[in-house]
């Protein structure tokens, strides 16, 4: 049995008639260890995107930062991360929990994914054991160059309700990038394809459409553009409709983290959409000590 693909991914691949081809491709590129080029990328990055589950098994996406070298691989099966979620981050780490990692270098549009199990945790960071490691194509990534900035101590995290604040809505309306965390219902450590994933979504500024009716929750409409047919995220959402979203203000370092439930809308003519209904969230002003240059939009969005 191909343990690199779970039931949700397989169902979507079968719907498009690409299951047999993708089973072969994923069997070749999804590895239980990090190739040298994946290690090289992680070890030079100043940020790491992380997806995980809270005590209620709600997905959250977050970002950790550190001087390049804050991540290193003692061997091809383990990644040490010398950083932890800050106070106020809704994602709390625990030994044995599954995590999804994304190493993204925006200015070169390189990105590598790693799903694994947290096997060691201390006051300085954590170590993840690799369950799956694989690369992604550069589609829809906006090229931007980071630089370190000195910021005041971050303000206390502010709770966002299901009906988002004006500041949160302003960030969403201008966003060209988001990160989404998802999982299978059986997500646990050392489980092959059954785990947690965090992935990138990009589009033209304002690509996330927002609706809100009366006093109801905020609903986000996220287009799902044509990708590599792995369906890591959509496959998870098909079998477990809960997700976490992360939006980064690339100037101020503000972070908006949301958790909610989704519905997959599939129109053969108009394409796919993730409809995300906000359950709750956290606004963390000035949480990231980085600032990025103006984006060079992905050429795949300009066609």
């Amino acid at each position: 049995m191909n343990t690199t693909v779970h039931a949700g991914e397989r169902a979507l691949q079968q719907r498009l008639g690409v299951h047999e081809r993708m089973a072969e491709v994923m069997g070749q590129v999804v590895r239980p260890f990090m190739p040298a080029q994946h290690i090289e990328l992680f070890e030079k990055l100043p940020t790491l995107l992380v997806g995980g589950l809270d005590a209620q098994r709600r997905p959250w996406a977050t970002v950790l930062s550190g001087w390049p070298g804050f991540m290193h691989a003692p061997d091809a099966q383990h990644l040490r991360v010398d950083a932890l979620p800050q106070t106020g981050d809704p994602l709390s780490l625990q030994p044995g929990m599954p995590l999804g990692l994304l190493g993204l270098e925006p200015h070169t549009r390189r990105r590598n994914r790693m799903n694994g199990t947290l096997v060691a945790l201390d006051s300085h960071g954590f170590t993840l054991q690799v369950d799956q490691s694989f690369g992604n194509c550069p589609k829809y990534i906006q090229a931007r160059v980071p630089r370190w900035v000195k910021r005041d101590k971050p303000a206390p995290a502010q709770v966002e309700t299901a009906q988002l604040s004006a500041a949160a809505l302003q960030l969403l309306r201008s966003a060209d990038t988001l990160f989404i965390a998802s999982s299978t219902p059986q997500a646990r450590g050392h489980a092959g394809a059954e785990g947690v994933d965090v992935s990138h979504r990009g589009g033209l500024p304002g690509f996330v459409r927002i609706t809100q009716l009366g006093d109801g929750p905020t609903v986000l409409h996220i287009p799902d553009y044509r990708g590599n047919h792995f369906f890591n995220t959509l496959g998870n959402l098909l079998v477990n409709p809960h997700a976490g979203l992360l939006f980064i203000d690339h100037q101020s370092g503000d972070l908006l983290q949301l958790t909610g439930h989704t519905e997959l809308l599939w129109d053969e003519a108009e394409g796919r959409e993730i409809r995300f209904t906000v359950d709750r969230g956290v606004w963390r002003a000035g949480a990231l000590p980085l600032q990025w240059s103006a984006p060079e939009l992905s050429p795949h969005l300009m066609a």
Side-chain angles (χ1 to χ4, degrees):
M1 180 178 178
N2 185 355
T3 58
T4 63
V5 183
H6 66 68
E9 296 164 337
R10 187 178 300 110
L12 293 181
Q13 291 168 359
Q14 288 173 334
R15 177 169 183 165
L16 288 182
V18 298
H19 168 59
E20 291 186 2
R21 178 169 63 86
M22 294 313 300
E24 181 179 354
V25 170
M26 293 178 72
Q28 294 173 349
V29 303
V30 179
R31 305 174 177 92
F33 63 90
M34 293 178 290
Q37 63 267 35
H38 291 197
I39 293 174
E40 178 264 338
L41 179 63
F42 281 118
E43 291 185 342
K44 71 176 182 177
L45 293 176
T47 58
L48 175 67
L49 286 307
V50 181
L53 305 176
D54 66 14
Q56 288 73 46
R57 297 189 65 77
R58 296 174 300 211
W60 293 93
T62 192
V63 57
L64 306 179
S65 64
W67 197 255
F70 84 103
M71 292 182 279
H72 68 276
D75 55 58
Q77 284 77 39
H78 296 88
L79 185 69
R80 169 68 187 185
V81 180
D82 289 320
L84 294 168
Q86 299 173 358
T87 301
D89 195 316
L91 182 60
S92 178
L93 303 184
Q94 300 293 332
M97 71 186 298
L99 294 176
L101 304 185
L102 173 64
L104 176 65
E105 188 175 52
H107 59 284
T108 63
R109 296 191 170 100
R110 288 182 64 190
R111 57 174 162 169
N112 291 324
R113 304 262 278 279
M114 197 259 270
N115 306 329
T117 304
L118 197 157
V119 293
L121 177 66
D122 57 46
S123 60
H124 299 290
F126 62 96
T127 299
L128 210 68
Q129 179 172 313
V130 178
D131 293 332
Q132 294 185 326
S133 180
F134 53 101
N136 273 166
C137 71
K139 275 186 176 180
Y140 315 122
I141 297 175
Q142 326 301 0
R144 37 172 52 104
V145 180
R147 67 181 181 91
W148 292 96
V149 295
K150 184 174 177 58
R151 300 197 191 278
D152 295 333
K153 182 179 178 181
Q158 301 296 311
V159 173
E160 290 281 347
T161 66
Q163 192 171 91
L164 294 179
S165 67
L169 292 174
Q170 182 178 353
L171 176 57
L172 294 178
R173 291 189 181 107
S174 61
D176 59 40
T177 299
L178 65 84
F179 301 94
I180 179 168
S182 60
S183 77
T184 60
Q186 299 82 18
R188 57 192 183 277
H190 306 294
E194 303 285 353
V196 178
D197 180 80
V198 65
S199 63
H200 161 278
R201 289 291 187 277
L204 297 175
F207 79 111
V208 176
R209 192 163 52 86
I210 305 166
T211 59
Q212 190 165 291
L213 299 177
D215 295 329
T218 303
V219 179
L220 308 182
H221 305 261
I222 306 167
D224 185 72
Y225 301 130
R226 181 181 176 88
N228 56 16
H229 290 152
F230 282 17
F231 292 124
N232 304 116
T233 297
L234 264 61
N236 284 349
L237 299 181
L238 184 67
V239 295
N240 182 22
H242 302 284
L245 301 183
L246 170 69
F247 293 85
I248 300 173
D249 187 313
H250 292 97
Q251 291 300 305
S252 67
D254 296 349
L255 303 179
L256 175 64
Q257 294 166 267
L258 305 174
T259 192
H261 55 282
T262 68
E263 180 184 2
L264 297 182
L265 304 181
W266 194 301
D267 187 295
E268 301 298 344
E270 298 186 10
R272 301 180 295 266
E273 175 185 286
I274 301 171
R275 180 177 293 172
F276 178 93
T277 301
V278 177
D279 290 336
R280 65 193 67 194
V282 175
W283 178 275
R284 296 165 55 209
L288 204 57
L290 289 157
Q291 191 175 80
W292 281 263
S293 63
E296 177 186 328
L297 296 179
S298 168
H300 295 281
L301 296 167
M302 311 306 289

